[in-house]
Amino acid sequence: MTTQSVAASCITSSGMALTFQDHSVTDGTQQSLTSAGFNQIAGQEAGIIGDGMTVTHALVSFGDNGLYAYFANQDGSINQCLPIARASATIAGVVKLTRPVKLVPGMTLQVMSATTGSTSVSFNAQCASGVNHIFTGTAGTAGAVTDLTSIITSGQVGDVLTGQTISAAWVSSTADWDAAEAGGFPFVGLISGNGQTKSTWVQQMPVYNQPMPQVYNASVALNDKLQIDTDTA
């Protein structure tokens, strides 16, 4: 088991920034990132250190293998997916959120880094209604198709987001898709119940570039799936 240094910066509408950091985040285990960094009381959850503040911009920077990050509500559900990057491959830096997030006690900042050598893919969905959700999966070999499922319920996108419209999404992939491969396809597809491709989002690798939102609409219906066929051979 390996560990990562993970840090986050959140800009608030009050003109005060909130910073978070942990130098020993365990890969493969989701955990809460607590306050640390510049002039912060250390070890406090986001909803405590930022009680009443509204976050407008953010970035969660991983030493390596960043998979996803999000603000969690008091019940553990996803409030807002957060932009991520690798420290040495950040392009846009701290970026504007698709909607501001007001922090209240009980809310946390959750982070997840993949294990060394993994071929994990995460899909961060932001819906026109304001609903956010994250789906993950593991890339296979020889172009094998894999479903991405909810990190909260383990359900398919059609079960979790029925009737919603995905208006923006970004993909974080630790699977090193290579254009020279004989198999595989470097996109996440939204696949309908009858097998048609409704929309696609390109896989983005934090090791090379900062994942950025891909902004266009895709409606989700029951029996829809998110799928990848990245070839990791």
Side-chain angles (χ1 to χ4, degrees):
M1 190 74 70
T2 54
T3 61
Q4 299 294 329
S5 180
V6 183
S9 177
C10 300
I11 308 302
T12 75
S13 59
S14 69
M16 177 178 174
L18 300 172
T19 57
F20 305 81
Q21 185 159 302
D22 189 332
H23 291 295
S24 56
V25 171
T26 301
D27 293 335
T29 302
Q30 181 178 300
Q31 74 173 65
S32 177
L33 196 67
T34 56
S35 58
F38 295 121
N39 303 318
Q40 300 287 314
I41 299 172
Q44 293 194 330
E45 299 287 4
I48 298 299
I49 192 80
D51 183 14
M53 296 183 185
T54 298
V55 177
T56 58
H57 299 67
L59 181 69
V60 181
S61 182
F62 291 78
D64 203 0
N65 295 344
L67 193 58
Y68 61 75
Y70 65 93
F71 280 129
N73 294 312
Q74 297 95 323
D75 63 358
S77 60
I78 299 169
N79 181 293
Q80 171 86 313
C81 306
L82 294 176
I84 71 170
R86 187 185 185 193
S88 59
T90 303
I91 299 173
V94 180
V95 298
K96 185 177 181 179
L97 302 181
T98 55
R99 61 178 177 82
V101 178
K102 185 175 181 178
L103 298 176
V104 296
M107 293 180 67
T108 62
L109 198 172
Q110 298 291 317
V111 299
M112 176 74 165
S113 58
T115 56
T116 300
S118 74
T119 54
S120 301
V121 177
S122 75
F123 180 89
N124 300 260
Q126 301 188 325
C127 299
S129 66
V131 169
N132 278 226
H133 211 83
I134 300 173
F135 303 83
T136 60
T138 303
T141 58
V145 173
T146 303
D147 294 349
L148 303 183
T149 56
S150 164
I151 65 169
I152 303 296
T153 69
S154 299
Q156 300 284 353
V157 65
D159 299 320
V160 178
L161 298 181
T162 299
Q164 298 283 349
T165 298
I166 299 173
S167 55
W170 63 85
V171 181
S172 176
S173 177
T174 61
D176 194 352
W177 194 89
D178 187 328
E181 291 181 14
F185 192 66
F187 292 86
V188 172
L190 178 64
I191 311 300
S192 67
N194 64 4
Q196 292 185 326
T197 303
K198 300 174 70 172
S199 190
T200 61
W201 297 264
V202 70
Q203 294 186 44
Q204 300 164 305
M205 296 186 63
V207 68
Y208 296 134
N209 292 296
Q210 178 179 353
M212 296 298 293
Q214 300 170 57
V215 183
Y216 41 88
N217 292 334
S219 60
V220 181
L222 189 65
N223 298 322
D224 284 358
K225 295 182 178 181
L226 289 168
Q227 294 186 327
I228 53 173
D229 72 346
T230 301
D231 184 357
T232 61

